[in-house]
Amino acid sequence: MTPETTTGALAPTTTLVHALGAPGGEWWRHAVIYQVYPRSFADGSGDGIGDLPGITARLDHLARLGVDAIWLSPFYRSPQADAGYDVADYRDVDPLFGTLADFDALLERAHGLGLRMIVDLVPNHTSDEHVWFQAALAAGPGSLERARYLFRPGKGADGAEPPNNWNSIFGGPAWTRLPDGEWYLHLFDTRQPDLDWENPEVRAEFEDVLRFWLDKGVDGFRIDVAHGLVKAAGLPDWDGESSMTEGAETAPEDGSMGVVHRGPMFDQEGVHEIYRAWNRVLAAYDGDRALVAEAWVEPLERLARYVRPGEMHQAFNFSFLTTRWDAGALRRIVTASLEASDAVGAPTTWVLSNHDIVRHTSRLGLAEANARPSGIGRGIGRDDEQPDEALGLRRARAASLVMLGLPGSAYLYQGEELGLPEHTTLDDDLRQDPTWWRSGHNERGRDGCRVPLPWAKDEAGFGFSPTGATWLPQPASWAAYALDAQQGVGGSTYETYRNALRLRGELELGTGSLAWVDAMAKVDAESVLAFVNRDVLVLANLGSDPVALPDGATVLHASAALEASDGVTLVPSDTTVWVRLAA
Ligand code: TEU
């Protein structure tokens, strides 16, 4: 049944915007991929920091939840200046997280449970402790060792001024000067020097790193800062915004990110050649291995260029993530996302939370002016507006059921299946994210979304670690969010996600199509987001009044309890339902 041919008195009139319908295609076209942040998922060793054996021991949770794959954030050897996004050895596991044998055991267990696994690759920069950077420091100006990075002489009389005016995403200048007078570029922390991707040695090295993990059997890679590898020739000055953290208040009406990540450090044409080469590396392996772009690029047509045939396979849809809780804005961004990815034959992805931004449970509990994620870094501290926890959770569950009802691939961030809120009252002296000090204490940073998960309500540290230790404290209120407090409890956030994932699979929504409901009896389009995917109507009520479902609709799933009045089923405010319409 296609949406246009729907008949019967209750049938909505619809506009078809997307009909990919490729069941049985490559797994990543419709997969639900769960982000595991190793430091905070589960601790096996007892030191209060999560690790690979901890993940392996808890993997059955993810199989039971019903996700298709996991994305593992960095676990490589690293001094942890940016929680592992500063890699010192791309082919080894940091002792904090375990050993290569632990990695092999994790991958084997994941595959045994039918879960694919993609790993994070951080190619824009290395750690300052990487052998290449150490060699560059020792070798001095003009050396081949320095040519792997972006070393430049400074400006001004004694070269005391940085080579250009770029700022670090984490705050402060993007250049650091060495005692010998040369400067090096770091778009992030001082301890994350940017590589020079014009250097063939850099390209060869990363293709080899890809093969190292592909040989181990990983199913793909999430590519960190995929829009940043190539910089404009001559590294010219840039006076525009290079970070979402500024200017976010001026969000455009269409709900898009608000600050386009252009400028000489982002989205340069040269990055595409790198990904075409990587596509060829992956294509030599069996099993549909995939590349996922973490690229904060707008408009969506620019982002779609990363997933053209022969390049990457998916790109995170940050335009969706940054859209306001508003039916019109969501409808526009979903349409634009599907059109842009359909144009290049790629699946759309959907994401609401990750390890860089305030959890959507808490964002959606803030006043509208504060509710959009403002890029990485800002966070929420004690002195900031505190989210309305119940409202945020209610909206987050509704938003998640919209996301999981859409065709394409969806990303979940660990803990969202528990409805975990951001930790918004963390002591500032416990903060570990470099954005906190690099921004001169203007940005609280990302620690609030990285707090160790609660597994067991009655145990010390909520069962995160065998010793009760946790590298960041968990709020006492998290007892109610612990997995064991929600398992088997009808209507809990965990069971709501689990049902959604089961139904999404059974109904094949991931490979379905999307038609907007333009008009339907009893439904006011202003405050209602409604679409048909296969024969399921997904309806989210973002308004303040309840919305009546058409007679004869069979409710398949709902993000909150529904109401009834005179035999009519009512969808309350901030609630999403999945229903099957009477034929
Ligand atoms: O974040 C990428 C990142 O910070 C940029 O894409 C940025 O968000 C964008 O340009 C808007 O300002 C990744 C990781 O997810 C993050 O945890 C790391 O800290 C960062 O890269 C550096 O590796």
Side-chain angles (χ1 to χ4, degrees), residues 192-411:
Q192 294 167 293
D194 279 48
L195 288 161
D196 185 352
W197 275 87
E198 305 297 344
N199 186 330
E201 206 187 340
V202 172
R203 296 192 182 220
E205 168 66 4
F206 275 87
E207 290 183 16
D208 196 64
V209 169
L210 288 173
R211 288 192 194 95
F212 178 85
W213 295 101
L214 289 166
D215 287 342
K216 284 198 167 291
V218 303
D219 297 286
F221 301 89
R222 174 263 190 195
I223 308 302
D224 191 60
V225 202
H227 56 321
L229 274 51
V230 173
K231 280 79 180 174
L235 308 180
D237 277 351
W238 167 248
D239 294 315
E241 309 264 7
S242 62
S243 162
M244 266 191 69
T245 49
E246 300 151 62
E249 287 80 359
T250 58
E253 264 310 289
D254 67 358
S256 58
M257 289 195 275
V259 176
V260 180
H261 295 261
R262 42 204 161 85
M265 68 294 281
F266 287 132
D267 197 28
Q268 301 295 307
E269 191 54 34
V271 295
H272 296 288
E273 188 189 315
I274 298 170
Y275 303 135
R276 283 191 285 270
W278 290 6
N279 181 294
R280 292 192 292 273
V281 172
L282 266 68
Y285 289 79
D286 61 354
D288 295 332
R289 320 276 177 122
L291 293 166
V292 184
E294 191 242 5
W296 290 80
V297 169
E298 277 197 334
L300 283 152
E301 291 71 30
R302 283 299 294 184
L303 183 66
R305 301 178 81 243
Y306 288 75
V307 290
R308 289 174 293 187
E311 291 198 29
M312 300 223 221
H313 304 88
Q314 291 188 337
F316 289 113
N317 186 343
F318 292 123
S319 303
F320 177 70
L321 174 150
T322 52
T323 299
R324 292 176 292 125
W325 185 236
D326 172 280
L330 284 165
R331 180 173 167 144
R332 283 190 290 278
I333 217 76
V334 169
T335 301
S337 305
L338 289 167
E339 286 175 351
S341 46
D342 283 357
V344 293
T348 308
T349 66
W350 311 105
V351 59
L352 289 166
S353 280
N354 67 32
H355 66 295
D356 286 333
I357 48 164
V358 173
R359 285 181 176 276
H360 69 287
T361 32
S362 296
R363 281 184 345 240
L364 293 170
L366 293 172
E368 189 174 328
N370 293 330
R372 295 177 63 254
S374 42
I376 69 169
R378 182 172 291 180
I380 300 177
R382 276 209 176 108
D383 309 332
D384 300 319
E385 182 201 350
Q386 294 298 302
D388 176 332
E389 197 167 318
L391 177 69
L393 178 57
R394 186 176 180 89
R395 290 187 168 169
R397 288 165 51 140
S400 299
L401 280 207
V402 168
M403 172 170 88
L404 294 172
L406 289 163
S409 173
Y411 278 83

